[in-house]
Structures are given as structure tokens and as C-alpha cells.
Coordinates of all heavy atoms in Angstrom, one line a residue:
M1 N 7.4 -19.7 82.3 CA 8.8 -19.3 82.1 C 9.5 -20.5 81.4 O 10.4 -20.2 80.5 CB 9.4 -19.0 83.5 CG 10.8 -18.4 83.4 SD 10.7 -16.9 82.5 CE 11.8 -15.9 83.4
R2 N 9.2 -21.7 81.7 CA 9.8 -22.8 81.1 C 9.5 -22.8 79.6 O 10.4 -23.1 78.8 CB 9.3 -24.1 81.7 CG 9.8 -24.4 83.0 CD 9.3 -25.7 83.6 NE 9.7 -25.8 85.0 CZ 9.2 -26.7 85.8 NH1 8.2 -27.5 85.4 NH2 9.7 -26.8 87.0
R3 N 8.3 -22.5 79.2 CA 7.9 -22.5 77.8 C 8.7 -21.4 77.1 O 9.1 -21.6 75.9 CB 6.4 -22.3 77.7 CG 5.9 -22.4 76.2 CD 4.4 -22.4 76.1 NE 4.0 -21.1 76.7 CZ 2.8 -20.8 77.1 NH1 1.9 -21.8 77.1 NH2 2.5 -19.6 77.5
L4 N 8.8 -20.2 77.7 CA 9.5 -19.1 77.1 C 11.0 -19.5 76.8 O 11.5 -19.2 75.7 CB 9.5 -17.9 78.0 CG 10.2 -16.6 77.5 CD1 9.6 -16.1 76.2 CD2 10.2 -15.6 78.5
V5 N 11.6 -20.1 77.8 CA 13.0 -20.5 77.6 C 13.1 -21.6 76.6 O 14.0 -21.5 75.7 CB 13.6 -21.0 79.0 CG1 15.0 -21.6 78.8 CG2 13.7 -19.8 79.9
A6 N 12.2 -22.5 76.5 CA 12.2 -23.6 75.5 C 12.0 -23.0 74.1 O 12.7 -23.4 73.2 CB 11.1 -24.6 75.9
E7 N 11.1 -22.0 74.0 CA 10.9 -21.4 72.7 C 12.1 -20.7 72.2 O 12.5 -20.8 71.0 CB 9.7 -20.5 72.7 CG 8.4 -21.2 72.8 CD 7.2 -20.3 73.0 OE1 7.4 -19.1 72.9 OE2 6.1 -20.8 73.2
Q8 N 12.7 -19.9 73.1 CA 13.9 -19.1 72.7 C 15.1 -20.1 72.4 O 15.8 -19.8 71.4 CB 14.3 -18.2 73.9 CG 13.4 -17.0 74.1 CD 13.5 -16.1 72.9 OE1 14.6 -15.8 72.4 NE2 12.3 -15.6 72.5
L9 N 15.2 -21.1 73.1 CA 16.3 -22.1 72.8 C 16.0 -22.8 71.5 O 17.0 -22.9 70.7 CB 16.4 -23.1 73.9 CG 17.5 -24.1 73.9 CD1 18.9 -23.4 73.9 CD2 17.5 -25.1 75.0
G10 N 14.8 -23.1 71.2 CA 14.4 -23.7 69.9 C 14.7 -22.8 68.8 O 15.2 -23.2 67.7
Q11 N 14.4 -21.5 68.9 CA 14.6 -20.5 67.9 C 16.1 -20.3 67.6 O 16.6 -20.2 66.5 CB 14.0 -19.2 68.2 CG 12.5 -19.1 68.1 CD 11.9 -17.8 68.5 OE1 12.7 -16.9 69.0 NE2 10.6 -17.7 68.3
V12 N 16.9 -20.3 68.7 CA 18.4 -20.1 68.5 C 19.0 -21.3 67.8 O 19.8 -21.2 66.9 CB 19.0 -19.8 69.8 CG1 20.6 -19.8 69.7 CG2 18.6 -18.5 70.4
E13 N 18.5 -22.5 68.2 CA 19.0 -23.7 67.6 C 18.6 -23.9 66.2 O 19.3 -24.3 65.3 CB 18.6 -24.9 68.5 CG 19.4 -25.0 69.8 CD 18.9 -26.2 70.6 OE1 17.8 -26.7 70.4 OE2 19.5 -26.5 71.6
W14 N 17.3 -23.5 65.9 CA 16.8 -23.5 64.5 C 17.6 -22.6 63.6 O 18.0 -22.9 62.5 CB 15.4 -23.2 64.5 CG 14.8 -23.3 63.1 CD1 14.4 -24.4 62.4 CD2 14.6 -22.1 62.2 NE1 14.0 -24.0 61.2 CE2 14.1 -22.7 61.0 CE3 14.8 -20.8 62.3 CZ2 13.8 -21.9 59.9 CZ3 14.5 -20.0 61.2 CH2 14.0 -20.5 60.1
A15 N 17.9 -21.4 64.1 CA 18.6 -20.4 63.3 C 20.1 -20.8 63.1 O 20.7 -20.4 62.1 CB 18.6 -19.0 64.0
G16 N 20.6 -21.7 63.9 CA 21.9 -22.2 63.8 C 22.2 -23.0 62.5 O 23.3 -23.1 62.0
K17 N 21.1 -23.6 62.0 CA 21.3 -24.4 60.8 C 21.5 -23.5 59.5 O 22.1 -23.9 58.6 CB 20.1 -25.4 60.5 CG 18.8 -24.7 60.1 CD 17.8 -25.8 59.9 CE 16.5 -25.2 59.4 NZ 15.5 -26.2 59.2
W18 N 21.1 -22.2 59.7 CA 21.3 -21.3 58.6 C 22.6 -20.5 58.7 O 23.1 -19.8 57.8 CB 20.2 -20.3 58.5 CG 18.9 -21.0 58.1 CD1 17.9 -21.3 58.9 CD2 18.5 -21.4 56.8 NE1 16.9 -21.9 58.2 CE2 17.3 -22.0 56.9 CE3 19.2 -21.5 55.6 CZ2 16.6 -22.6 55.8 CZ3 18.5 -22.0 54.5 CH2 17.3 -22.6 54.6
L19 N 23.2 -20.6 59.9 CA 24.4 -19.9 60.2 C 25.6 -20.1 59.2 O 26.2 -19.2 58.8 CB 24.9 -20.1 61.6 CG 25.9 -19.2 62.2 CD1 25.4 -17.8 62.2 CD2 26.3 -19.6 63.6
P20 N 25.9 -21.4 58.9 CA 27.0 -21.6 57.9 C 26.8 -20.9 56.6 O 27.7 -20.4 56.0 CB 27.1 -23.1 57.7 CG 26.4 -23.6 58.9 CD 25.4 -22.6 59.4
Y21 N 25.5 -20.8 56.1 CA 25.2 -20.2 54.8 C 25.4 -18.7 54.9 O 26.0 -18.0 54.1 CB 23.8 -20.5 54.4 CG 23.5 -21.9 54.2 CD1 22.7 -22.6 55.1 CD2 24.2 -22.7 53.2 CE1 22.5 -24.0 54.9 CE2 23.9 -24.0 53.0 CZ 23.1 -24.7 53.9 OH 22.9 -26.0 53.7
W22 N 25.0 -18.1 56.1 CA 25.1 -16.7 56.3 C 26.6 -16.3 56.4 O 27.1 -15.3 55.8 CB 24.4 -16.3 57.6 CG 24.3 -14.9 57.9 CD1 23.5 -13.9 57.3 CD2 25.1 -14.2 58.9 NE1 23.8 -12.7 57.9 CE2 24.7 -12.8 58.8 CE3 26.1 -14.6 59.8 CZ2 25.3 -11.9 59.6 CZ3 26.7 -13.6 60.6 CH2 26.3 -12.3 60.5
L23 N 27.4 -17.1 57.2 CA 28.8 -16.8 57.3 C 29.5 -17.0 56.0 O 30.5 -16.3 55.6 CB 29.4 -17.7 58.4 CG 29.0 -17.4 59.8 CD1 29.6 -18.5 60.8 CD2 29.3 -16.0 60.2
G24 N 29.1 -18.0 55.2 CA 29.7 -18.2 53.9 C 29.4 -17.1 52.9 O 30.3 -16.7 52.2
A25 N 28.2 -16.5 53.0 CA 27.9 -15.4 52.1 C 28.8 -14.2 52.5 O 29.3 -13.5 51.6 CB 26.4 -15.1 52.2
L26 N 28.9 -13.9 53.8 CA 29.7 -12.8 54.2 C 31.2 -13.1 53.8 O 31.9 -12.1 53.5 CB 29.6 -12.6 55.7 CG 28.3 -12.1 56.2 CD1 28.3 -12.0 57.8 CD2 28.0 -10.8 55.6
G27 N 31.7 -14.3 53.9 CA 33.0 -14.6 53.5 C 33.2 -14.4 52.0 O 34.3 -13.9 51.6
L28 N 32.2 -14.8 51.2 CA 32.3 -14.5 49.7 C 32.4 -13.0 49.4 O 33.1 -12.6 48.5 CB 31.2 -15.2 49.0 CG 31.2 -16.7 48.9 CD1 30.0 -17.2 48.2 CD2 32.4 -17.1 48.0
I29 N 31.6 -12.2 50.2 CA 31.6 -10.8 50.0 C 33.0 -10.2 50.3 O 33.5 -9.4 49.6 CB 30.5 -10.1 50.8 CG1 29.1 -10.5 50.2 CG2 30.7 -8.6 50.8 CD1 28.0 -10.1 51.1
A30 N 33.6 -10.7 51.4 CA 34.9 -10.2 51.8 C 35.9 -10.6 50.8 O 36.8 -9.8 50.4 CB 35.2 -10.8 53.2
V31 N 35.9 -11.8 50.3 CA 36.8 -12.3 49.3 C 36.7 -11.5 48.0 O 37.6 -11.1 47.4 CB 36.7 -13.8 49.0 CG1 37.5 -14.2 47.8 CG2 37.2 -14.6 50.3
G32 N 35.4 -11.3 47.6 CA 35.1 -10.5 46.4 C 35.7 -9.0 46.6 O 36.3 -8.5 45.6
M33 N 35.6 -8.5 47.7 CA 36.1 -7.1 48.0 C 37.6 -7.1 47.9 O 38.3 -6.2 47.3 CB 35.7 -6.6 49.3 CG 34.3 -6.2 49.4 SD 33.9 -4.7 48.4 CE 34.7 -3.5 49.3
L34 N 38.3 -8.2 48.4 CA 39.7 -8.3 48.3 C 40.2 -8.5 46.8 O 41.2 -7.9 46.4 CB 40.2 -9.5 49.1 CG 40.2 -9.3 50.6 CD1 40.6 -10.5 51.4 CD2 41.2 -8.1 51.0
V35 N 39.4 -9.2 46.1 CA 39.8 -9.4 44.6 C 39.6 -8.1 43.9 O 40.5 -7.7 43.1 CB 38.9 -10.5 44.0 CG1 39.0 -10.5 42.5 CG2 39.3 -11.9 44.6
L36 N 38.5 -7.4 44.2 CA 38.3 -6.1 43.5 C 39.4 -5.1 43.9 O 39.9 -4.3 43.1 CB 36.9 -5.5 43.8 CG 35.8 -6.2 43.1 CD1 34.5 -5.7 43.7 CD2 35.9 -6.0 41.6
G37 N 39.8 -5.2 45.2 CA 40.9 -4.3 45.6 C 42.2 -4.6 45.0 O 43.0 -3.7 44.7
T38 N 42.5 -5.9 44.8 CA 43.7 -6.3 44.1 C 43.7 -5.8 42.7 O 44.7 -5.3 42.2 CB 43.9 -7.8 44.2 OG1 43.8 -8.2 45.6 CG2 45.2 -8.3 43.6
V39 N 42.6 -6.0 42.0 CA 42.5 -5.6 40.6 C 42.6 -4.1 40.4 O 43.3 -3.6 39.5 CB 41.1 -6.1 40.0 CG1 40.9 -5.5 38.6 CG2 41.2 -7.6 39.9
S40 N 42.0 -3.3 41.3 CA 42.0 -1.9 41.2 C 43.3 -1.3 41.8 O 43.6 -0.1 41.5 CB 40.8 -1.3 42.0 OG 41.0 -1.4 43.4
G41 N 44.0 -2.0 42.6 CA 45.3 -1.6 43.1 C 45.2 -0.9 44.4 O 46.2 -0.5 45.0
S42 N 44.1 -0.8 45.0 CA 43.9 -0.2 46.3 C 43.5 -1.3 47.3 O 42.3 -1.8 47.2 CB 42.9 0.9 46.3 OG 42.6 1.4 47.5
L43 N 44.3 -1.6 48.2 CA 44.0 -2.7 49.2 C 43.6 -2.2 50.6 O 43.2 -3.0 51.4 CB 45.2 -3.6 49.3 CG 45.4 -4.6 48.2 CD1 46.6 -5.4 48.4 CD2 44.2 -5.6 48.1
V44 N 43.6 -0.9 50.8 CA 43.4 -0.4 52.2 C 41.9 -0.7 52.6 O 41.7 -1.3 53.6 CB 43.7 1.1 52.2 CG1 43.3 1.7 53.6 CG2 45.2 1.3 52.0
F45 N 41.0 -0.2 51.8 CA 39.6 -0.4 52.1 C 39.2 -1.9 52.1 O 38.5 -2.3 53.1 CB 38.7 0.4 51.2 CG 37.2 0.2 51.5 CD1 36.6 0.7 52.6 CD2 36.4 -0.6 50.6 CE1 35.3 0.5 52.9 CE2 35.1 -0.8 50.9 CZ 34.5 -0.2 52.0
P46 N 39.6 -2.7 51.1 CA 39.2 -4.1 51.1 C 39.8 -4.8 52.3 O 39.1 -5.7 52.9 CB 39.7 -4.6 49.8 CG 39.8 -3.5 48.9 CD 40.1 -2.3 49.8
L47 N 41.0 -4.5 52.8 CA 41.6 -5.2 53.9 C 40.8 -4.8 55.2 O 40.6 -5.6 56.0 CB 43.0 -4.8 54.0 CG 44.0 -5.6 53.1 CD1 45.4 -5.1 53.2 CD2 43.9 -7.1 53.3
L48 N 40.5 -3.5 55.3 CA 39.7 -3.1 56.5 C 38.3 -3.7 56.5 O 37.8 -4.1 57.5 CB 39.6 -1.5 56.5 CG 40.8 -0.7 56.8 CD1 40.6 0.7 56.7 CD2 41.3 -1.1 58.2
F49 N 37.7 -3.8 55.3 CA 36.4 -4.5 55.2 C 36.5 -6.0 55.6 O 35.7 -6.5 56.3 CB 35.9 -4.4 53.7 CG 34.5 -4.9 53.6 CD1 33.4 -4.1 53.9 CD2 34.3 -6.1 53.0 CE1 32.2 -4.6 53.7 CE2 33.1 -6.6 52.8 CZ 32.0 -5.8 53.2
A50 N 37.6 -6.6 55.1 CA 37.7 -8.1 55.5 C 38.0 -8.2 57.0 O 37.4 -9.1 57.6 CB 38.9 -8.6 54.7
V51 N 38.8 -7.4 57.6 CA 39.0 -7.4 59.0 C 37.7 -7.2 59.8 O 37.4 -7.9 60.7 CB 40.1 -6.5 59.4 CG1 40.2 -6.3 60.9 CG2 41.5 -6.9 58.9
G52 N 36.9 -6.2 59.3 CA 35.6 -5.9 59.9 C 34.7 -7.1 59.8 O 33.9 -7.4 60.7
M53 N 34.7 -7.8 58.6 CA 33.8 -8.9 58.4 C 34.2 -10.1 59.3 O 33.4 -10.7 59.9 CB 34.0 -9.3 57.0 CG 32.8 -9.8 56.2 SD 31.2 -9.1 56.5 CE 31.0 -8.2 55.1
V54 N 35.5 -10.3 59.5 CA 36.0 -11.3 60.4 C 35.6 -11.0 61.9 O 35.1 -11.9 62.6 CB 37.5 -11.5 60.3 CG1 38.0 -12.3 61.5 CG2 37.9 -12.1 59.0
A55 N 35.7 -9.7 62.2 CA 35.3 -9.3 63.6 C 33.8 -9.5 63.8 O 33.3 -10.0 64.8 CB 35.7 -7.9 63.8
L56 N 33.0 -9.1 62.8 CA 31.5 -9.3 62.9 C 31.1 -10.8 63.0 O 30.3 -11.1 63.8 CB 30.9 -8.7 61.6 CG 29.3 -8.9 61.6 CD1 28.6 -8.0 62.6 CD2 28.8 -8.5 60.2
C57 N 31.7 -11.6 62.2 CA 31.4 -13.0 62.2 C 31.8 -13.7 63.6 O 31.1 -14.5 64.1 CB 32.1 -13.8 61.1 SG 31.4 -13.3 59.5
S58 N 33.0 -13.2 64.1 CA 33.4 -13.7 65.4 C 32.5 -13.3 66.5 O 32.1 -14.1 67.4 CB 34.8 -13.2 65.7 OG 35.7 -13.7 64.7
W59 N 32.0 -12.0 66.4 CA 31.1 -11.5 67.4 C 29.8 -12.3 67.3 O 29.2 -12.6 68.4 CB 30.9 -10.0 67.2 CG 29.9 -9.4 68.1 CD1 30.2 -9.1 69.4 CD2 28.5 -9.1 67.9 NE1 29.0 -8.6 70.0 CE2 28.0 -8.6 69.1 CE3 27.7 -9.2 66.8 CZ2 26.7 -8.2 69.2 CZ3 26.4 -8.8 66.9 CH2 25.9 -8.3 68.1
V60 N 29.3 -12.6 66.1 CA 28.0 -13.3 66.0 C 28.1 -14.7 66.6 O 27.3 -15.2 67.3 CB 27.6 -13.4 64.5 CG1 26.5 -14.4 64.3 CG2 27.1 -12.0 64.0
L61 N 29.2 -15.4 66.3 CA 29.4 -16.7 66.8 C 29.6 -16.7 68.3 O 29.0 -17.6 69.0 CB 30.7 -17.4 66.2 CG 30.5 -17.8 64.7 CD1 31.9 -18.2 64.2 CD2 29.5 -18.9 64.6
W62 N 30.3 -15.7 68.9 CA 30.4 -15.6 70.3 C 29.1 -15.3 71.0 O 28.8 -15.9 72.0 CB 31.4 -14.5 70.6 CG 31.6 -14.2 72.1 CD1 32.2 -15.1 73.0 CD2 31.1 -13.1 72.8 NE1 32.2 -14.5 74.2 CE2 31.5 -13.3 74.2 CE3 30.4 -12.0 72.5 CZ2 31.2 -12.4 75.2 CZ3 30.1 -11.1 73.5 CH2 30.5 -11.3 74.8
M63 N 28.3 -14.4 70.4 CA 27.0 -14.1 71.0 C 26.1 -15.3 70.9 O 25.3 -15.5 71.9 CB 26.4 -12.9 70.3 CG 27.0 -11.6 70.7 SD 26.9 -11.2 72.4 CE 25.2 -10.8 72.6
R64 N 26.1 -16.0 69.9 CA 25.3 -17.2 69.7 C 25.6 -18.3 70.8 O 24.7 -18.8 71.5 CB 25.4 -17.8 68.3 CG 24.5 -19.0 68.1 CD 24.6 -19.6 66.7 NE 23.7 -20.6 66.6 CZ 23.9 -21.9 67.0 NH1 25.1 -22.2 67.5 NH2 23.0 -22.8 66.8
R65 N 26.9 -18.5 71.0 CA 27.4 -19.5 72.0 C 27.0 -19.0 73.4 O 26.5 -19.8 74.2 CB 28.9 -19.7 71.8 CG 29.3 -20.9 72.7 CD 30.8 -21.0 72.7 NE 31.4 -20.0 73.5 CZ 32.5 -19.3 73.1 NH1 33.2 -19.7 72.0 NH2 33.0 -18.4 73.9
R66 N 27.1 -17.7 73.6 CA 26.8 -17.2 74.9 C 25.3 -17.3 75.2 O 24.9 -17.7 76.3 CB 27.2 -15.7 75.0 CG 27.0 -15.1 76.3 CD 27.7 -13.7 76.2 NE 27.3 -12.9 77.4 CZ 26.9 -11.7 77.4 NH1 26.7 -11.1 76.3 NH2 26.6 -11.1 78.5
S67 N 24.5 -17.0 74.2 CA 23.0 -17.2 74.4 C 22.6 -18.6 74.6 O 21.8 -18.9 75.4 CB 22.3 -16.6 73.1 OG 22.5 -15.2 73.0
L68 N 23.2 -19.5 73.8 CA 22.9 -20.9 74.0 C 23.3 -21.4 75.4 O 22.5 -22.1 76.1 CB 23.6 -21.8 73.0 CG 23.0 -21.8 71.6 CD1 23.9 -22.6 70.6 CD2 21.6 -22.6 71.7
D69 N 24.5 -21.0 75.9 CA 24.9 -21.4 77.2 C 23.9 -20.8 78.3 O 23.5 -21.6 79.2 CB 26.3 -20.9 77.5 CG 27.4 -21.6 76.8 OD1 27.1 -22.7 76.2 OD2 28.5 -21.1 76.7
R70 N 23.5 -19.6 78.2 CA 22.6 -19.0 79.1 C 21.2 -19.6 79.1 O 20.6 -19.9 80.1 CB 22.5 -17.5 78.9 CG 23.7 -16.7 79.3 CD 23.5 -15.3 79.1 NE 24.6 -14.5 79.7 CZ 24.6 -13.3 79.9 NH1 23.5 -12.5 79.6 NH2 25.7 -12.7 80.4
L71 N 20.7 -19.9 77.9 CA 19.4 -20.5 77.8 C 19.4 -22.0 78.3 O 18.5 -22.4 79.0 CB 18.9 -20.5 76.3 CG 18.5 -19.2 75.8 CD1 18.3 -19.2 74.3 CD2 17.2 -18.7 76.5
R72 N 20.5 -22.7 78.1 CA 20.6 -24.1 78.6 C 20.7 -24.0 80.1 O 20.1 -24.9 80.8 CB 21.8 -24.8 78.0 CG 21.5 -25.2 76.5 CD 22.7 -25.8 75.9 NE 22.4 -26.1 74.5 CZ 23.3 -26.1 73.6 NH1 24.6 -25.8 73.8 NH2 23.0 -26.4 72.3
W73 N 21.4 -23.1 80.7 CA 21.6 -22.9 82.1 C 20.2 -22.6 82.7 O 19.8 -23.1 83.7 CB 22.6 -21.8 82.4 CG 22.8 -21.7 83.9 CD1 23.6 -22.4 84.7 CD2 22.1 -20.7 84.7 NE1 23.5 -21.9 86.0 CE2 22.6 -20.9 86.1 CE3 21.2 -19.7 84.5 CZ2 22.1 -20.1 87.1 CZ3 20.7 -18.9 85.5 CH2 21.2 -19.2 86.8
M74 N 19.5 -21.7 82.1 CA 18.1 -21.3 82.6 C 17.2 -22.5 82.5 O 16.4 -22.8 83.5 CB 17.5 -20.2 81.8 CG 18.1 -18.8 82.1 SD 17.2 -17.5 81.4 CE 17.9 -17.5 79.8
R75 N 17.3 -23.3 81.5 CA 16.4 -24.5 81.4 C 16.7 -25.5 82.5 O 15.8 -26.0 83.1 CB 16.6 -25.2 80.0 CG 15.7 -26.4 79.8 CD 15.9 -27.0 78.4 NE 17.3 -27.4 78.3 CZ 17.8 -27.9 77.1 NH1 17.0 -28.0 76.1 NH2 19.0 -28.3 77.1
Q76 N 18.0 -25.7 82.7 CA 18.4 -26.6 83.8 C 18.0 -26.0 85.1 O 17.5 -26.8 86.0 CB 20.0 -26.8 83.8 CG 20.5 -27.8 84.7 CD 20.0 -29.2 84.4 OE1 19.7 -29.5 83.2 NE2 19.9 -30.0 85.4
A77 N 18.1 -24.7 85.4 CA 17.7 -24.2 86.7 C 16.2 -24.3 86.9 O 15.7 -24.5 88.0 CB 18.1 -22.7 86.7
L78 N 15.4 -24.2 85.8 CA 14.0 -24.3 85.9 C 13.5 -25.7 86.2 O 12.4 -25.9 86.7 CB 13.3 -23.7 84.7 CG 13.3 -22.2 84.6 CD1 12.8 -21.8 83.2 CD2 12.5 -21.5 85.6
R79 N 14.3 -26.7 85.8 CA 13.9 -28.1 86.0 C 14.1 -28.5 87.4 O 13.5 -29.5 87.9 CB 14.7 -29.0 85.0 CG 14.3 -28.9 83.6 CD 15.0 -29.9 82.8 NE 14.5 -29.8 81.4 CZ 15.1 -30.4 80.4 NH1 16.3 -31.1 80.6 NH2 14.7 -30.3 79.2
Q80 N 15.0 -27.9 88.1 CA 15.3 -28.3 89.5 C 14.2 -27.8 90.4 O 13.7 -26.7 90.2 CB 16.6 -27.7 89.9 CG 17.8 -28.2 89.2 CD 19.1 -27.5 89.6 OE1 19.1 -26.6 90.4 NE2 20.2 -28.0 89.0
P81 N 13.8 -28.7 91.4 CA 12.7 -28.3 92.3 C 13.0 -27.2 93.3 O 14.0 -26.8 93.5 CB 12.4 -29.6 93.0 CG 13.5 -30.5 92.8 CD 14.3 -30.0 91.6

């Protein structure tokens, strides 16, 4: 069980180094949609898309933090005799 928790924690921490690039790419897509919406004159869909993108990124960050907290708690609980 200790090894499983350690492996999962390592995977989540390793994936964290790619998180800024992933969030940056999603941000660029959202900004691009807003620019295209401004140029075309229709801002309803691009604004909804940008709000959805912000919600998605916030959810990903929240789930990552929650997973890290739980895995660290499990690791600590497994270390105690």
C-alpha cells in the first residue's frame, strides 16, 4: 500500500511540472476565441467558451490540490505505527 501511494503521489507531482504549459495552452485558445469573436462581431459564444475554460482550469487545479492533500495524508497515515 505504501508503494502504491508513493507511486501515485510521484505521478501527480511529476504531472504538475507540465500543468503550467497545459493551462497556458488552454488560455491561448480562450484568448484566440475572444479575438475571433471580436473580429467577427459575435461575442456570445467566445465569452461562454472563455468562462467554461476558466471553470475547467479551476476545477483541474482544485482536483489536483485535493488529490495531493489526500495522497500526502495517506502517506503520513501509513508511516505511523
Side-chain angles (χ1 to χ4, degrees):
M1 191 60 140
R2 288 179 186 165
R3 187 175 61 202
L4 178 64
V5 170
E7 287 176 6
Q8 288 293 319
L9 187 58
Q11 286 179 355
V12 172
E13 288 175 346
W14 179 82
K17 72 178 181 180
W18 295 104
L19 192 62
Y21 300 112
W22 186 76
L23 293 175
L26 290 178
L28 285 175
I29 292 170
V31 168
M33 288 292 291
L34 286 173
V35 168
L36 287 174
T38 303
V39 170
S40 70
S42 173
L43 281 176
V44 175
F45 178 71
L47 284 174
L48 288 175
F49 185 80
V51 168
M53 219 33 108
V54 167
L56 175 71
C57 291
S58 299
W59 179 77
V60 166
L61 289 172
W62 177 72
M63 286 299 290
R64 181 179 184 277
R65 189 183 74 218
R66 185 173 172 228
S67 295
L68 280 171
D69 290 344
R70 286 183 174 195
L71 287 168
R72 288 178 181 146
W73 181 83
M74 284 189 279
R75 182 179 61 186
Q76 186 65 25
L78 287 170
R79 285 185 180 167
Q80 294 176 355

